[in-house]
Amino acid sequence: MNTTDNTPSNIVRNFMTALDSNELDTAANFLADDFVFSGWTPKPLNKQAFLTLLENIKEGIPGLSFNIHNVLEQNTSITGTIQVQGYQTDSFIIPALGTPPIPQTASSVSLPMEEVTYRLHDDLITAMDVEHTTGGGISGLLKQLGIELPLAQ
């Protein structure tokens, strides 16, 4: 096996490509069992809650893309910039966030650029932390669809 394929930055890029391609089973293989996703949602999410959140969102916005760029590797920490974009084609719900059903609006969403940090251990992503950006995160995405997040923090 070519070890250059397993560099932390390639692991992160491959993980994000799987998310963009709606290949959540593949994306799950890049995550440690104790993975934590934070900063983009009102409360941190574990691996299963994170994957369920993306599955829920992609039911309504199947082409949702994170558009990662500026990937920099620093030991076991990887930083990058994401800009979430997509087009809502169907209604969806996000039970974990307590949202009402989100009706189909045929709207495009485009969030501001957000800085993200990934932590890795044994070639698995253990954490993904998105820095809070005004108009970003799940609240920014929902607001663009006309929904206020009930768990405001």
Side-chain angles (χ1 to χ4, degrees):
M1 174 154 76
N2 185 348
T3 57
T4 59
D5 291 341
N6 285 335
T7 63
S9 57
N10 280 341
I11 291 168
V12 166
R13 282 187 185 97
N14 290 335
F15 166 68
M16 296 305 291
T17 297
L19 292 182
D20 286 351
S21 302
N22 206 16
E23 296 170 359
L24 298 182
D25 289 341
T26 300
N29 292 329
F30 290 100
L31 302 178
D33 289 340
D34 61 350
F35 170 81
V36 175
F37 176 71
S38 60
W40 209 70
T41 52
K43 296 178 182 175
L45 303 176
N46 66 21
K47 178 179 178 176
Q48 189 55 54
F50 168 74
L51 294 168
T52 299
L53 172 74
L54 286 181
E55 182 180 9
N56 293 154
I57 293 171
K58 285 187 169 266
E59 285 177 14
I61 310 172
L64 185 79
S65 178
F66 290 89
N67 303 302
I68 190 163
H69 54 283
N70 299 332
V71 177
L72 298 173
E73 188 171 325
Q74 299 146 351
N75 300 320
T76 58
S77 178
I78 305 297
T79 59
T81 305
I82 57 173
Q83 185 174 25
V84 176
Q85 297 178 315
Y87 182 79
Q88 187 190 15
T89 60
D90 206 349
S91 60
F92 63 103
I93 60 170
I94 307 175
L97 299 181
T99 63
I102 299 155
Q104 196 275 346
T105 61
S107 298
S108 292
V109 293
S110 182
L111 300 184
M113 286 190 238
E114 298 171 283
E115 299 301 315
V116 61
T117 302
Y118 304 83
R119 302 217 187 294
L120 281 78
H121 181 71
D122 292 337
D123 292 339
L124 292 173
I125 300 168
T126 59
M128 179 179 175
D129 181 42
V130 182
E131 187 177 308
H132 176 71
T133 301
T134 301
I138 190 70
S139 60
L141 181 130
L142 294 175
K143 191 168 190 171
Q144 288 188 21
L145 298 174
I147 302 291
E148 290 294 328
L149 190 60
L151 301 174
Q153 287 189 352

